[in-house]
Amino acid sequence: AFVAFLFAFGILTHILLDLVTSSWGLQVFWPLDKEWITLNGPLNHQDGPPTYDRLKYSMQLMVIDVGLGVAWMAYLYWKKKLSFD
């Protein structure tokens, strides 16, 4: 039950941080691309095709995000708090 609480806490923290710190906001009805909400002012969606710099920056953030997720799952696995049975 404690591990479930930690997962729920992590998910809710992630959502809250996206709402507060991101100018992109949070997509409510994924993948419909209709409703976005944010608590940080107006939405900042950039129109047009992505540039190389934007793609590179997005990929760097994605690698960091995935790395943190893998590190967290590995930690839980090594501490015997998570099993893949």
Side-chain angles (χ1 to χ4, degrees), residues 46-73:
Q46 299 172 350
D47 295 326
T51 63
Y52 173 77
D53 290 332
R54 273 198 293 172
L55 285 175
K56 181 179 173 185
Y57 180 70
S58 294
M59 292 299 111
Q60 289 170 342
L61 290 179
M62 182 198 67
V63 168
I64 292 169
D65 190 38
V66 169
L68 287 172
V70 169
W72 179 242
M73 298 286 278

Side-chain angles (χ1 to χ4, degrees), residues 7-69:
F7 275 114
F9 180 72
I11 290 168
L12 291 174
T13 303
H14 188 86
I15 289 172
L16 181 66
L17 286 174
D18 279 348
L19 284 172
V20 174
T21 62
S22 174
S23 61
W24 277 87
L26 183 70
Q27 191 174 13
V28 180
F29 300 113
W30 182 84
L32 296 179
D33 201 23
K34 296 260 186 202
E35 300 292 327
W36 290 80
I37 57 173
T38 182
L39 300 177
N40 193 29
L43 292 173
N44 185 21
H45 290 267
Q46 299 172 350
D47 295 326
T51 63
Y52 173 77
D53 290 332
R54 273 198 293 172
L55 285 175
K56 181 179 173 185
Y57 180 70
S58 294
M59 292 299 111
Q60 289 170 342
L61 290 179
M62 182 198 67
V63 168
I64 292 169
D65 190 38
V66 169
L68 287 172

